[in-house]
Amino acid sequence: MFTDENIGAIVLTIKLASLTTFILLLIGTPIAWWLARTRSWFKGPVGAFVALPIVLPPTVIGFYLLVTLGPNGPIGHLTQSLGLGTLPFTFTGLVVGSVFYSMPFVVQPIQNAFEAMGDRPLEVAATLRASPLDTFFNVTLPLAKPGYLTAIVIGFAHTVGEFGVILMIGGNIPNVTRTISVQIYDHVEALEYAQAHVLAGGMVAFSLLVLMTLYLLNPTGRRK
């Protein structure tokens, strides 16, 4: 039942989720650190913007990303002037959309881990004359490890399950923008329920695995 189209959708989805999670860890860490440490008035608006994908329908996000990245949008004008063409209906466009859509699911667990750490470890490191870089890599990151693990699992899983944003900004191009969720939609639309069951059942098993992993990563959720 694993046709070439199904395998291609699975490979593309894993590639998209892996790259999106990696990018989000890079850009989400400084955002989460700033949100956890700042007392600025801008914390509220920035935090609300980061959390926006949680409450907005995926089709709304996909629509505005399509307009912004399209030939008449500001980012579309920029990419065209740089000779990069437009991003909609490309794998790069999927990555951009997925990074925005999955951002709160990576930033918030890391932010919570930074906030739970408190000021004491940083103060101790400062008294030992550790540089800010040494403190971050040798004190902050090890203490925030549970938050990072949660962010990786949730961010990856959330990207795997995307549909609305993917369809709006990427369309349905085999081996380019057709992910597992879109492939399931195609099977159902074509009344190919047997093949849809294979992919949908795999997604159910994957979701259960994600939830079990999160349960194991949560120290308060395990029996001592």
Side-chain angles (χ1 to χ4, degrees):
M1 299 300 291
F2 282 96
T3 63
D4 291 341
E5 288 186 347
N6 287 349
I7 294 174
I10 293 171
V11 171
L12 181 68
T13 302
I14 294 175
K15 179 182 175 182
L16 175 64
S18 301
L19 184 57
T20 298
T21 304
F22 176 74
I23 294 174
L24 280 174
L25 288 175
L26 292 181
I27 66 176
T29 293
I31 295 174
W33 178 254
W34 184 83
L35 288 173
R37 306 295 300 174
T38 187
R39 295 182 180 179
S40 170
W41 178 87
F42 290 102
K43 178 178 180 177
V46 173
F49 179 79
V50 169
L52 199 58
I54 296 177
V55 296
L56 273 180
T59 50
V60 173
I61 298 174
F63 170 72
Y64 282 111
L65 285 173
L66 184 63
V67 171
T68 304
L69 302 177
N72 297 320
I75 297 180
H77 280 302
L78 177 62
T79 55
Q80 288 180 101
S81 65
L82 295 175
L84 301 176
T86 54
L87 298 181
F89 309 109
T90 66
F91 179 76
T92 303
L94 287 191
V95 173
V96 173
S98 297
V99 165
F100 180 77
Y101 186 51
S102 295
M103 183 175 293
F105 300 93
V106 173
V107 171
Q108 290 185 351
I110 299 175
Q111 179 186 346
N112 292 337
F114 287 157
E115 291 174 344
M117 183 178 58
D119 297 330
R120 182 62 178 169
L122 304 180
E123 293 171 353
V124 172
T127 60
L128 297 175
R129 296 186 178 181
S131 67
L133 201 59
D134 288 337
T135 300
F136 184 78
F137 283 103
N138 297 315
V139 178
T140 303
L141 286 185
L143 291 176
K145 182 180 177 181
Y148 272 93
L149 293 176
T150 301
I152 291 171
V153 173
I154 296 180
F156 186 91
H158 189 259
T159 304
V160 167
E162 288 180 22
F163 177 73
V165 172
I166 295 295
L167 200 59
M168 289 290 290
I169 197 172
N172 188 359
I173 306 173
N175 299 319
V176 178
T177 62
R178 182 185 292 173
T179 60
I180 293 176
S181 57
V182 178
Q183 183 72 8
I184 294 173
Y185 176 81
D186 283 351
H187 285 320
V188 173
E189 196 173 41
L191 301 180
E192 298 170 346
Y193 291 142
Q195 296 201 40
H197 274 304
V198 172
L199 292 178
M203 291 293 288
V204 171
F206 174 75
S207 300
L208 288 173
L209 180 62
V210 168
L211 293 175
M212 290 173 60
T213 302
L214 290 175
Y215 176 81
L216 293 174
L217 291 176
N218 181 9
T220 62
R222 292 180 293 177
R223 290 185 178 180
K224 298 181 180 179

